[in-house]
Amino acid sequence: MPSIEAKSGPERAPHRALMKAMGYTDDEIARPWVGIVNSFNEIIPGHIHLKAIADAVKAGVRAAGGTPIEFPTIGVCDGIAMNHVGMKYSLPSRELIADSIEIMAYAHQFDALVFICNCDKIVPGMLIAAARLNLPSIFVSGGPMLSGWWGDKRVDVSSVFEAVGAVKAGLMTESELASLEETACPGCGSCAGMFTANSMNCLTEALGMGLPGHGTIPAVMAARIRLAKWAGARVMDLLRNNIRPLDILTREAFENAVTVDMALGGSTNTVLHLTAIAHEAGVPLELGIFDAISRRVPHICNMRPGGPSNLEDLHRAGGVQAVMKVLDGGGLIHRDCMTVTGRTVGENIANVHVANSDTIRPLDNPFHKEGGIAILQGSLAPNGCVVKQSAVRQEMLFHRGRSRVFDSEEQATDAILSGRISPGDVVVIRYEGPRGGPGMREMLVPTSALAGMGLDSTVALVTDGRFSGATRGASIGHVSPEAAAGGPIAVVQEGDEIEIDIPHRKINLCVPPDELAKRLASWTPPEPAFKKGYLARYSRFVSSGDKGAVAGA
């Protein structure tokens, strides 16, 4: 056990004395030290209740013979950080989370770790740390928020974002917006819907790093507390049996996660995060695998924001395990992958059944024949870009329109909300990539404004930034190379035509090749947006979106 290095022998008497200063007994010091990584804070609704989850985890650890030792990490609420400078810090926080956990785990020689997570960058940041440290580890999330109700209409936070656009378009009154604001988010948990937080929690379960139910048990259910106790006990079994993250995070496990992602229609951010986690685990996960799996895996769960179902519906229908059971019936799942239950995927799903075939459809009756995400390439994005095709209207799967070019999210948002975007346009937002933003901001405000104004059926949005999992419409992100790296998106001119063909995975800037080459040859990079602080360092070392936006890669 690593903790022996910090507690055993007469030379470690000072170390034990410091532990006793905190009230630890000799028996507690002698037991395995289990780090409880808790991302609790009072600014994220998905984290406000994590003290109770941590207490339950600790009870499980103690009952199974370990000593739980809690320490914190940071977290950003993407919703509160949206559409201002704060969003520049969201994706970069993923790297800080991983680094801070590495520091704490190595400095104090923990024997095992329980990761208590819930929201957008916290989940992948912790998974990166788990892969890096490779200590026996298990994940337990705080669970999803229940959906709200506005009259007889089910709503969530994305409903409020879209309502802002509806007010601007005269389709809703400000008093109606205020009423919606009161009911959309009824309590704690990660934002209701298959947005990024819930996508990543579901994929953590699909990877095998979370227990069955990890991704879907609602935050307010007692079953969530029982799951946390089970996780605390299970980590001691993982320690005794020396089952480590890299035994679980194999190439086949990542393929399982991508397969489940396509079936669920998860957030486009999963492409960034799974790529980054696989990179840390030493597993090649090229961008093309997402599209290859999407071509063969049907979309069988029509979740918010693209469809009507929510996380509580998915949970009642059988959750992630039931989705995997359906996929396994079509030979689409690697059954032999190890999981934190101590059993394989095949063993976990052996007795699982689907409780509602309207929520989790059979393979021969999917919502869409292909998976939720598509990877496009072409002269505008030579290295690829990402779209959640399951949330795109049928009439927007093919689109050709004139470009409306903006060098920041704020400029584009102002143009949309002031009525300067017309049906048929392609809104281009550049210099918002990992390096150029820096930080690759999510664009939920402009996409929600377009949807709320009724323009999502006629207007596309293309960016080297990224989108919230709550985004719907023809919203194409992660354009690589990004503008700040001299990608073609940097030289798009106002009025250029852009052609989007999602079924054939194409996105092209409709200018002659010699004209494009001429523009690129005369392009000069802009001055860095930040000259000091964390974002200045981040922008110097971050990789492109198609590589997972990994800092230091």
Side-chain angles (χ1 to χ4, degrees), residues 213-285:
H214 171 94
T216 59
I217 297 173
V220 296
M221 283 190 173
R224 177 61 58 182
I225 298 297
R226 296 196 298 271
L227 185 80
K229 291 178 180 177
W230 183 20
R234 274 301 313 157
V235 79
M236 296 304 297
D237 287 332
L238 295 172
L239 178 59
R240 281 187 283 269
N241 294 315
N242 196 31
I243 298 175
R244 297 170 181 261
L246 295 187
D247 299 320
I248 295 171
L249 296 174
T250 62
R251 167 72 180 205
E252 291 75 19
F254 281 102
E255 290 184 1
N256 280 348
V258 176
T259 297
V260 170
D261 192 14
M262 298 306 157
L264 292 175
S267 165
T268 52
N269 285 316
T270 60
V271 177
L272 279 176
H273 297 323
L274 288 176
T275 302
I277 298 159
H279 171 82
E280 193 67 52
V283 174
L285 194 70

Side-chain angles (χ1 to χ4, degrees), residues 181-402:
E181 176 186 328
E182 291 290 329
T183 63
C185 300
C188 65
S190 48
C191 295
M194 193 54 71
F195 311 150
T196 304
N198 290 324
S199 295
M200 286 308 305
N201 279 328
C202 287
L203 297 191
T204 299
E205 184 176 335
L207 279 168
M209 291 299 295
L211 294 167
H214 171 94
T216 59
I217 297 173
V220 296
M221 283 190 173
R224 177 61 58 182
I225 298 297
R226 296 196 298 271
L227 185 80
K229 291 178 180 177
W230 183 20
R234 274 301 313 157
V235 79
M236 296 304 297
D237 287 332
L238 295 172
L239 178 59
R240 281 187 283 269
N241 294 315
N242 196 31
I243 298 175
R244 297 170 181 261
L246 295 187
D247 299 320
I248 295 171
L249 296 174
T250 62
R251 167 72 180 205
E252 291 75 19
F254 281 102
E255 290 184 1
N256 280 348
V258 176
T259 297
V260 170
D261 192 14
M262 298 306 157
L264 292 175
S267 165
T268 52
N269 285 316
T270 60
V271 177
L272 279 176
H273 297 323
L274 288 176
T275 302
I277 298 159
H279 171 82
E280 193 67 52
V283 174
L285 194 70
E286 63 279 5
L287 198 61
I289 193 66
F290 291 87
D291 205 62
I293 290 177
S294 181
R295 289 290 197 183
R296 65 175 183 261
V297 175
H299 178 221
I300 60 174
C301 298
N302 204 15
M303 310 289 293
R304 290 277 294 159
S309 296
N310 223 311
L311 266 291
E312 59 219 72
D313 301 318
L314 179 59
H315 177 62
R316 284 194 294 267
V320 172
Q321 300 298 307
V323 172
M324 296 181 81
K325 179 78 169 187
V326 172
L327 295 168
D328 180 58
L332 297 169
I333 289 291
H334 297 289
R335 298 173 50 85
D336 295 333
C337 293
M338 178 54 64
T339 74
V340 291
T341 65
R343 301 187 297 270
T344 65
V345 167
E347 291 169 330
N348 286 344
I349 64 175
N351 298 314
V352 171
H353 69 280
V354 174
N356 187 329
S357 59
D358 291 328
T359 301
I360 305 174
R361 285 192 176 181
L363 294 177
D364 60 1
N365 183 33
F367 291 98
H368 300 96
K369 292 182 179 179
E370 292 186 349
I373 291 173
I375 307 298
L376 314 184
Q377 285 184 295
S379 61
L380 186 59
N383 294 347
C385 56
V386 182
V387 62
K388 183 191 281 194
Q389 62 176 343
S390 59
V392 178
R393 289 177 177 266
Q394 184 70 27
E395 59 267 34
M396 289 298 291
L397 292 174
F398 299 91
H399 184 72
R400 182 170 177 143
R402 65 168 188 145

Side-chain angles (χ1 to χ4, degrees), residues 1-9 11-13 15-16 19 26-35 65-67 69 104-112 135-136 236 239 244:
M1 296 190 301
S3 64
I4 289 174
E5 297 294 324
K7 67 187 181 186
S8 295
E11 68 278 8
R12 294 294 186 252
H15 305 60
R16 294 192 297 274
M19 294 293 289
D26 284 327
D27 181 57
E28 287 175 310
I29 294 169
R31 292 181 177 195
W33 290 2
V34 180
T67 297
I69 302 173
M104 291 295 289
Y106 279 136
H108 303 104
Q109 293 292 290
F110 290 112
D111 299 304
L135 294 170
M236 296 304 297
L239 178 59
R244 297 170 181 261

Side-chain angles (χ1 to χ4, degrees), residues 367-538:
F367 291 98
H368 300 96
K369 292 182 179 179
E370 292 186 349
I373 291 173
I375 307 298
L376 314 184
Q377 285 184 295
S379 61
L380 186 59
N383 294 347
C385 56
V386 182
V387 62
K388 183 191 281 194
Q389 62 176 343
S390 59
V392 178
R393 289 177 177 266
Q394 184 70 27
E395 59 267 34
M396 289 298 291
L397 292 174
F398 299 91
H399 184 72
R400 182 170 177 143
R402 65 168 188 145
S403 62
R404 304 296 309 281
V405 183
F406 305 95
D407 287 346
S408 72
E409 179 188 359
E410 288 84 355
Q411 292 177 10
T413 300
D414 180 68
I416 293 167
L417 294 178
S418 62
R420 303 200 310 269
I421 301 301
S422 302
D425 287 348
V426 178
V427 176
V428 176
I429 307 177
R430 62 190 179 194
Y431 295 109
E432 290 285 7
R435 184 193 306 179
M440 205 177 188
R441 285 194 288 182
E442 290 184 343
M443 306 290 174
L444 182 57
V445 169
T447 59
S448 296
L450 289 171
M453 297 169 80
L455 291 172
D456 58 319
S457 62
T458 58
V459 173
L461 192 152
V462 178
T463 181
D464 53 6
R466 59 195 179 92
F467 298 110
S468 164
T471 287
R472 62 187 175 97
S475 303
I476 299 164
H478 310 190
V479 169
S480 300
E482 63 174 289
I489 192 172
V491 297
V492 179
Q493 295 179 1
E494 185 82 5
D496 284 344
E497 285 205 327
I498 292 174
E499 186 175 58
I500 299 163
D501 181 349
I502 294 173
H504 295 99
R505 306 301 201 254
K506 299 293 184 184
I507 183 166
N508 288 304
L509 176 61
C510 301
V511 301
D514 57 343
E515 170 63 16
L516 179 58
K518 181 181 176 181
R519 292 184 191 179
L520 289 170
S522 62
W523 174 84
T524 56
E527 285 291 312
F530 287 75
K531 294 182 171 60
K532 63 179 181 179
Y534 178 58
L535 289 184
R537 297 193 300 274
Y538 178 85

